[in-house]
Amino acid sequence: MSDFPRWKYALVALVMLFGIIYALPNAFPPVPAVQVTANRDAPPINQAVQQKVEAALTAKKIAVTDVFVEGDHLLATFANSDVQKSGADEIKAALGDGYTVAFKLQSNVPGWLGAIGARSMPLGLDLQGGVHFLMQVDQKDAIEKQENSYADDIRSLLRDKNIRYESVTRSAASGQGIAVILRSDADRKTASDAIANEYTDLNVADGASTGDRFVLNVVIKPEKLRELSRSAITQNLGTLRNRINALGVSEPLIQQQGDSRIVVELAGVQDPTEAKKLIGAVATLQYRPGIGQPGDARAVEAARTGNIPPDANLYYMRGDNRPVLVSKQIIVTGNQLVDASSGIDQQSGTPKVDVTLNAAGAKKMGDFTNANVGKPMAVLYVEQVYETKVIDGKEVRVPKVTETVINDATIQSPFSKQFQTTGLGSAKEASDLALLLKGGALAAPMDIVEEGVIGASLGQDNIDKGFKAVLLGLTLVLLAAAIYYKLFGLVADIALFFNLVILVAVMSLIGVTLTMPGVAGIVLTLGMAIDANVLICERVREELRNGSSPHASIRAGYEKAWSTILDANVTHLIAALALTTMGTGAIKGFGVTLMIGILTSLFTSVTLTHAFTAAIHGHRKLKTLSV
Amino acid sequence: MEIFNHDSNIHFLGMRKYSIAIAIFLMVASIALIAVKGLNYGMQFNGGVSMVVDYQQSVDIADVRAALDKGGLDHAMVQSLGGTREVSIRLQPKDDPAATDASGKFNLDRISADVIKVLQAARPDAKLKSRDFVTAEVGAELRSDGTVAAVFVILGIMAYLWIRFERRFAIAAVFTEVHDTLVTLGVLALVQREFDMTVLASVLAVIGYSINDKVVVFDRIRELFRLARKAEPEEILNRSINNTLSRTIITSLFTGITMGALYFFGGTAVHGFAITMLIGIVVGTLSSIFVASPILLWLGVSKKDLMPVTKENPELARRP
């Protein structure tokens, strides 16, 4: 007699099969590889590049497992990460600046497993090594920028409408709006109406008026401010994604955290400096009218005395540090730039960056160059990085702005949409600049508030230890259960083993990133999963003691234990759910593991053991039970 | 095989005055310990200094750690930066009291100078490459997230038990929950174990474990009340604890074994997690046996609260 329906046997068999297949990819550890992608202006990846890479590696006697072209990139796999590093250096040297060379962990999973969607769990930073950044978006800056642009717009609006004004200035304190000072009350009325009509995102209110100064206070509406903050972070996320993709990191994690933070995790990257330079920098170009040539008498005089003409700024040329005067007027900024690519100027043989502007930028550039042929135009490179300093014992983040003129040349002929910037120091500099410009501008500067580097060796060490702990914990519990509950213990052991397999399968399928806290969660789940079987076994023992027959004891054991198991697991699940939804980082990873583990253990420790028990005992007459 | 006498009839409820007194004492002591000694928050909570040190020749991480230990900076985190000549060192300023001024502020230059001095004493080719603050701002957020999570867990569990069992069970469970969490934190404060993210996760997992443990006993109480013809609450509670005693202890042992494996072989990254969980398992098991049921008794649990509601008989439903 068996009270276990056939379809349940089938279900158990199916789930076990599913677990084995989808957990399997984790048995194939990925191999260290180097990925080469061509930059925009370099010849695409082909056989020739492959031969070049192979030749370079053979020449230096670096053992490479395989070199092959896959889609638009080339992959070279190595036996271990040390060889991988020297291999990457060699490839970089051999191919030059036209290619991005990045570290990658190449999956080693057989094709048929990949075809049915089975893949191995991605490993977290702590198990693989890599860098972690937490970045704070300076939304104040985005708002200030917006206020500045509104101030410009208001000025031109007043000019267009022929309203005489004294000044339009952004308040010194950020977020305080723009003060428009007019000459008469009537002007103020017309101006107020004009601004309110033209810009619906602005609130206009009359301010104090003294004598002939009539103040109009213009502030950005709160909902627009909120939208600005939101879009600042979205734009930064997008920009970061572009820049990091350009780095060639496989599976980067770029995530918004809270209202103003972005988390970036780059697994496999070991040198944070390079990554930091690229993701943290706010670089933009400004095209401005030049005043004289670099190093001419006026500029030298201004640098010496500090007397700078009111409409000009004094900068220095990148490279040779000659002083140069540049007009304050901005023709076009990096925001109006659509595309940028680096290359070598055919005529001079120096590195260049080709720039394409959007329609608005092209019009301004066209107007300016048409009217100013033969006059100089300067290209200003503005880079902003944040530094943390201690001022009066307080940590203060100070933006450090570097402004250098990278090019100041005479306009030969009018141009608008497309043109090139020359005068860059090296091909590397040109490609870096192109990358920064192409990646788009950050809406607001970002500041790295937390930075961590986890060594690859530590990752391997963690994997080994975690594996050992899981294995040892599992073995001990399996042994203890078999000794304490005999045959029922053995069945529980099978269930526990499959719980691990199915847990790993589900985590792999969902794509949960495995971290060290996740491993701890797995171990804890294994320890607690046996609880359901302890409950069942103790119940069966009780029933036997009360004089029930073996079959009745099994049935009553499972029936009575079920409600307890359900209550206990649901409450536990509530706890795990809270960890998953409220927690961040390590806590979240742990919570997800725990939650999946509770669900899989519910199945394995109840249904799976029941199937085995029924299969063993179901069709036999029993006198005793081994429990 | 059986370790526990299945006929055990220890009068746990008889010791309720003592067990509750001890539980309350432990809670008060824990609150006092947390208030006075405080939790030893790790760098994720408190911030600190992060340094990159360059060596001319390759260096072993273990040697760097040994050098720092010798110089009295024994809580520093040392990691290799990919190659063999560069290491990242992170430490909290409190590890280097000399670098903190009277008002508790610390001096980045001073700390990095101290660290590099200590390292150069062991290896003269050590050179400071960069140093930075790691801000604590993040920590405050994590801390409040953790608190929110804990409150949410407790409320969620309370609601579930209220629906599935009865109000008194929910109250008793939450009280013991708070007790278990507080005492676990109290032990951590006492031994001044570093409180980091994994420990926070572990404390939250302790809540899950301990509620699991209590629900099993509660379930048996409900069952026995429903079965018993003449239900003397004290006797029912006592029998429930005794009946589930072997399961309570066996499960603790099994979970304890896995956490022990994690502690001894899982590496330093999960030490905090495993030890916190072990503390929590001991506290949770003891409170399941000695604390949860006496509270139920005091709250006045009785047979009629637990009988399944029969909707068929409207006459019955109308009775008080």
Side-chain angles (χ1 to χ4, degrees), chain B residues 5 31 36 65 69 97-98 106 120 170 232 238-239 264-265 286 303 318:
Chain B
N5 175 15
I31 294 171
V36 176
R65 278 204 195 104
D69 281 355
F106 63 90
Q120 276 170 348
E232 201 52 57
N238 219 9
R239 230 171 57 221
F264 288 109
F265 298 96
L286 290 177
K303 181 177 165 76
R318 229 178 292 131

Side-chain angles (χ1 to χ4, degrees), chain A residues 236-485:
Chain A
N236 278 13
L237 272 172
T239 306
L240 269 182
R241 228 163 252 142
N242 282 336
R243 290 182 182 181
I244 287 164
N245 283 342
L247 269 176
V249 179
S250 56
E251 294 180 36
L253 178 121
I254 304 148
Q255 229 171 33
Q256 181 175 349
Q257 191 176 85
D259 292 334
S260 61
R261 293 219 170 105
I262 295 175
V263 179
V264 174
E265 286 190 349
L266 309 173
V269 173
Q270 289 301 324
D271 178 16
T273 353
E274 189 65 19
K276 210 158 79 178
K277 231 177 17 204
L278 208 52
I279 61 181
V282 182
T284 186
L285 288 182
Q286 285 175 1
Y287 291 86
R288 297 196 193 181
I291 300 173
Q293 294 297 322
D296 72 10
R298 272 177 301 168
V300 174
E301 182 64 16
R304 199 177 57 82
T305 59
N307 286 331
I308 301 159
D311 58 340
N313 286 116
L314 179 71
Y315 297 114
Y316 292 89
M317 287 298 288
R318 170 183 283 215
D320 56 12
N321 269 326
R322 280 175 300 163
V324 56
L325 286 171
V326 173
S327 163
K328 276 183 174 166
Q329 185 203 342
I330 299 171
I331 311 161
V332 164
T333 74
N335 291 347
Q336 285 152 322
L337 191 137
V338 200
D339 193 16
S341 62
S342 64
I344 301 291
D345 183 28
Q346 297 299 326
Q347 281 159 12
S348 64
T350 57
K352 61 159 187 177
V353 174
D354 285 308
V355 176
T356 311
L357 295 177
N358 65 12
K363 188 180 175 301
K364 283 188 188 166
M365 186 59 93
D367 289 350
F368 180 81
T369 47
N370 258 320
N372 292 285
V373 174
K375 287 185 187 159
M377 184 173 76
V379 184
L380 192 65
Y381 176 79
V382 187
E383 188 181 59
Q384 183 169 355
V385 281
Y386 269 68
E387 285 181 337
T388 310
K389 279 189 184 148
V390 176
I391 296 171
D392 301 334
K394 255 188 168 169
E395 283 173 42
V396 181
R397 289 196 193 95
V398 196
K400 193 181 135 201
V401 181
T402 324
E403 291 173 315
T404 44
V405 173
I406 52 175
N407 180 299
D408 191 0
T410 312
I411 299 164
Q412 304 293 343
S413 60
F415 55 83
S416 61
K417 197 170 167 55
Q418 277 175 324
F419 57 93
Q420 56 175 238
T421 298
T422 50
L424 294 138
S426 68
K428 173 107 178 76
E429 200 177 304
S431 76
D432 278 355
L433 178 62
L435 213 61
L436 277 172
L437 294 172
K438 190 168 58 182
L442 291 169
M446 275 185 298
D447 168 21
I448 296 175
V449 290
E450 193 188 71
E451 177 191 335
V453 184
I454 296 133
S457 53
L458 186 86
Q460 192 53 48
D461 197 35
N462 273 344
I463 289 186
D464 294 344
K465 282 179 174 155
F467 193 66
K468 214 154 129 195
V470 174
L471 218 62
L472 193 85
L474 188 67
T475 317
L476 284 176
V477 172
L478 293 183
L479 261 172
I483 293 171
Y484 198 70
Y485 295 115

Side-chain angles (χ1 to χ4, degrees), chain B residues 218-236:
Chain B
F218 287 176
D219 217 75
R220 186 57 74 100
I221 293 172
R222 181 173 57 180
E223 186 188 328
L224 288 184
F225 263 126
R226 285 178 182 175
L227 286 177
R229 223 165 289 152
K230 205 175 74 181
E232 201 52 57
E234 188 173 341
E235 198 208 317
I236 296 272

Side-chain angles (χ1 to χ4, degrees), chain A residues 82 85 134 136 257-258 261 270-273 276 388-390 392-395 397 448-458 462 464-466 468-470 472-474 476-477 480-481 483-486 516-517 519-521 523-528 530-531 534-535 538-539 541-542 545 560 563-572 574-579 581-587 590 594 627, chain B residues 1-4 6-7 43-44 50 52 61 65 78-83 86 88 90 105-106 108 129 132-138 141-142 145-146 148-150 152-153 155-157 160-161 164-165 197-198 200-202 204-205 207-213 215-217 219-220 222-223 227 243-244 246-248 250-251 254-255 257-270 273 277 281:
Chain A
D82 288 336
K85 258 171 232 143
L134 182 66
Q136 171 85 44
Q257 191 176 85
R261 293 219 170 105
Q270 289 301 324
D271 178 16
T273 353
K276 210 158 79 178
T388 310
K389 279 189 184 148
V390 176
D392 301 334
K394 255 188 168 169
E395 283 173 42
R397 289 196 193 95
I448 296 175
V449 290
E450 193 188 71
E451 177 191 335
V453 184
I454 296 133
S457 53
L458 186 86
N462 273 344
D464 294 344
K465 282 179 174 155
K468 214 154 129 195
V470 174
L472 193 85
L474 188 67
L476 284 176
V477 172
I483 293 171
Y484 198 70
Y485 295 115
K486 292 178 216 127
M516 213 45 205
V519 172
V523 177
L524 181 66
T525 309
L526 292 180
M528 292 193 68
I530 199 83
D531 179 52
V534 173
L535 278 164
E538 292 288 329
R539 270 298 180 160
R541 279 182 177 181
E542 256 179 69
R545 276 200 294 269
K560 287 190 178 166
S563 84
T564 314
I565 293 171
L566 194 66
D567 280 336
N569 277 295
V570 170
T571 42
H572 200 189
I574 294 173
L577 192 71
L579 289 181
T581 49
M582 307 267 165
T584 49
I587 296 191
F590 169 77
L594 202 59
V627 63
Chain B
M1 186 180 141
E2 270 184 67
I3 300 175
F4 305 99
H6 55 76
D7 282 332
M43 200 147 84
Q44 284 155 322
S50 162
V52 176
I61 298 284
R65 278 204 195 104
V78 186
Q79 285 175 343
S80 143
L81 282 186
E86 238 179 54
S88 132
R90 310 217 293 170
K105 280 158 192 151
F106 63 90
L108 184 61
K129 195 177 167 195
D132 245 320
F133 282 109
V134 182
T135 41
E137 211 179 335
V138 189
E141 237 165 64
L142 288 180
D145 276 358
V148 170
F152 184 79
V153 169
L155 287 180
I157 287 168
Y160 180 79
L161 292 184
R164 279 283 291 173
F165 289 80
M197 280 285 275
T198 61
L200 176 62
S202 190
L204 294 167
I207 303 183
Y209 178 84
S210 112
I211 193 69
N212 202 42
D213 223 34
V215 166
V216 173
V217 183
D219 217 75
R220 186 57 74 100
R222 181 173 57 180
E223 186 188 328
L227 286 177
N243 280 352
T244 51
S246 61
R247 136 33 255 191
T248 307
I250 287 289
T251 298
F254 280 5
T255 317
I257 287 173
T258 55
M259 287 300 115
L262 200 61
Y263 180 76
F264 288 109
F265 298 96
T268 44
V270 286
F273 181 90
M277 203 67 216
I281 290 171

